[in-house]
Amino acid sequence: QLVESGGGLVQPGGSLRLSCVASGFNYDYYAIGWFRQVPGKEREGVSYISANDGSTDYADSVKGRFTISRDNAKKTVFLQMNSLKPDDTAVYYCAARRGWGALLDFLYDTWGQGTQVTVSS
């Protein structure tokens, strides 16, 4: 099970930190990815952090603004989002897959319920 939190309403240029808490599986062996979706559009890969070596990757649209990290003791992955833009408005989901991370949603088999992020003045 994955549970996201930390979404909300923020002004352009502001920051939010999303959390994804894992339970019920062997978290240490799983990569965690963050995805986002706007109604009427396909789900987009935002970032991931692998289990094997902690490697990370980001979508070009968020590079330099978002940072992913994991706290294995707390079984939690964070997505720090800075310099937010209106285009970042979406429902954000975290997902888990065993081993290496990827920005392709069909590779993930466990999903959270999502948290809404709205960037607006």
Side-chain angles (χ1 to χ4, degrees):
Q1 182 182 7
L2 297 170
V3 178
E4 303 97 334
S5 63
L9 173 64
V10 63
Q11 292 186 343
S15 299
L16 283 175
R17 188 176 79 157
L18 304 184
S19 299
C20 172
V21 180
S23 63
F25 61 95
N26 200 336
Y27 165 90
D28 290 350
Y29 296 101
Y30 280 73
I32 302 294
W34 282 98
F35 298 82
R36 64 188 182 186
Q37 189 168 26
V38 175
K41 294 188 177 181
E42 292 187 354
R43 190 158 48 193
E44 173 190 17
V46 175
S47 181
Y48 70 77
I49 184 164
S50 293
N52 314 61
D53 61 357
S55 58
T56 62
D57 198 9
Y58 300 87
D60 288 343
S61 58
V62 307
K63 279 182 180 176
R65 300 188 297 122
F66 291 10
T67 303
I68 192 170
S69 61
R70 65 192 293 162
D71 183 336
N72 288 341
K74 296 182 178 179
K75 296 186 177 182
T76 302
V77 171
F78 302 100
L79 185 68
Q80 178 66 44
M81 306 187 296
N82 298 330
S83 302
L84 283 162
K85 306 174 181 179
D87 284 350
D88 295 318
T89 296
V91 177
Y92 283 71
Y93 300 88
C94 64
R97 72 181 300 265
R98 192 173 176 89
W100 299 102
L103 291 177
L104 301 172
D105 59 354
F106 63 85
L107 294 175
Y108 290 76
D109 47 33
T110 301
W111 290 81
Q113 82 289 350
T115 185
Q116 176 70 47
V117 171
T118 303
V119 185
S120 175
S121 55

